[in-house]
Amino acid sequence: RVQTPEPTAPRSVVTEGKKNHEQKFEFKLVAWFYSAVGGVAVLFGLGFLLRYAIENNLISPSLRVLLGLVTGVILLGLGEWLRPKMQRYANILTGTGLGAWYLSLYAASQFYALVPIEIAFIGMMIVTALGVFLAWRTNSQTLAAFAAIGGYLTPFFLSLDTNKTHVLLPYLIILESAMLLIAWKKPWRWLVGISLFGTTCVYLDWSNLYASATSTDISFIYLTLLFLPFLGRTLYRAWTETKADEMDFVLLFL
């Protein structure tokens, strides 16, 4: 039997389609770039206006914190509104809004002493949880990284002056569990590395300050609860040969 070749599109049609695709890509890239530049310019303008008001004592410390929190709400709202059309730019706005909340809570506790450290700590926990939820819902690696970094920096931001073992270490367990769950469901393996590094840094800082004032049994229990999930996850991937790779064995070694 003689097989007749399938008809192919003329070269001119293929070239024109490729050209149209490139033009659409260039348009989207330029539109995103100018939108990002415009957003950054607006943020810088608001920042300079706020700095001028602070330097001239035009607004009180409580109002400064309130403005920061309101700015975060506005940025998150804009991010969600623009997400269907401009996802990357929306992620920038959402991450900036979360950052505004982090900084506002930090300033309220450390600079102006408007709220106790415990309240600021709980507030930052809520911000981190919101960032994790948004990263999961929007499938955004950028928001996941921002939530992870912000979550692990929270203890360093607040610099707890008293031994808060039963607050800090359970917080770490919850945070790392959320990160490992995301890395389990999403192909974001680097999130495990960030979580392991952040957990190690926070635990070493706590151990340097308060381990001597804590019983050995409690320290060992928390140490096990903190690092056993990383070990279990890596061993599981190593035993399922279809999923293991070099990074898994590096994490297992660590």
Side-chain angles (χ1 to χ4, degrees):
R1 176 183 297 179
V2 179
Q3 295 182 353
T4 58
E6 296 181 357
T8 57
R11 182 179 296 272
S12 59
V13 176
V14 176
T15 304
E16 183 178 356
K18 183 178 180 180
K19 184 177 180 180
N20 292 334
H21 177 73
E22 291 177 352
Q23 289 177 349
K24 290 181 180 179
F25 174 77
E26 292 175 356
F27 175 78
K28 291 181 179 180
L29 181 63
V30 172
W32 179 87
F33 174 77
Y34 280 108
S35 298
V37 170
V40 172
V42 171
L43 292 178
F44 269 104
L46 291 175
F48 281 118
L49 179 62
L50 184 61
R51 179 181 177 183
Y52 175 82
I54 293 174
E55 290 177 349
N56 291 273
N57 293 322
L58 299 179
I59 55 177
S60 63
S62 57
L63 187 56
R64 298 170 196 173
V65 174
L66 181 60
L67 285 176
L69 295 175
V70 171
T71 301
V73 173
I74 294 174
L75 290 174
L76 261 72
L78 286 175
E80 291 302 308
W81 181 57
L82 293 175
R83 189 171 304 282
K85 297 181 180 179
M86 306 176 67
Q87 184 174 1
R88 292 184 178 179
Y89 184 47
N91 290 335
I92 294 174
L93 291 176
T94 303
T96 307
L98 295 175
W101 281 352
Y102 274 121
L103 293 177
S104 298
L105 292 170
Y106 172 74
S109 174
Q110 299 295 307
F111 288 164
Y112 306 126
L114 296 175
V115 296
I117 290 180
E118 290 79 7
I119 299 299
F121 190 77
I122 294 174
M124 288 188 173
M125 288 176 60
I126 295 174
V127 175
T128 302
L130 178 61
V132 170
F133 170 74
L134 291 175
W136 179 282
R137 185 174 66 86
T138 61
N139 197 31
S140 172
Q141 298 188 52
T142 304
L143 290 182
F146 193 91
I149 294 173
Y152 285 108
L153 285 178
T154 294
F156 296 101
F157 280 156
L158 296 180
S159 61
L160 302 176
D161 296 328
T162 56
N163 190 357
K164 302 291 185 181
T165 299
H166 299 296
V167 174
L168 177 62
L169 298 185
Y171 164 76
L172 274 183
I173 294 173
I174 295 173
L175 180 60
E176 76 172 38
S177 300
M179 296 302 158
L180 290 177
L181 179 61
I182 292 179
W184 187 278
K185 296 296 184 179
K186 306 286 185 181
W188 304 340
R189 301 260 314 292
W190 51 266
L191 201 57
V192 180
I194 293 178
S195 184
L196 178 60
F197 179 76
T199 300
T200 304
C201 290
V202 177
Y203 184 84
L204 289 177
D205 183 64
W206 170 86
S207 178
N208 180 52
L209 294 174
Y210 302 116
S212 59
T214 307
S215 68
T216 305
D217 294 339
I218 293 178
S219 299
F220 187 77
I221 289 172
Y222 275 123
L223 186 65
T224 304
L225 292 176
L226 282 170
F227 291 98
L228 189 60
F230 293 105
L231 180 63
R233 176 191 181 277
T234 310
L235 285 175
Y236 175 79
R237 288 182 60 88
W239 284 337
T240 55
E241 298 178 358
T242 57
K243 295 183 178 180
D245 57 17
E246 293 81 0
M247 181 58 65
D248 292 306
F249 292 103
V250 170
L251 290 175
L252 179 61
F253 171 77
L254 293 175

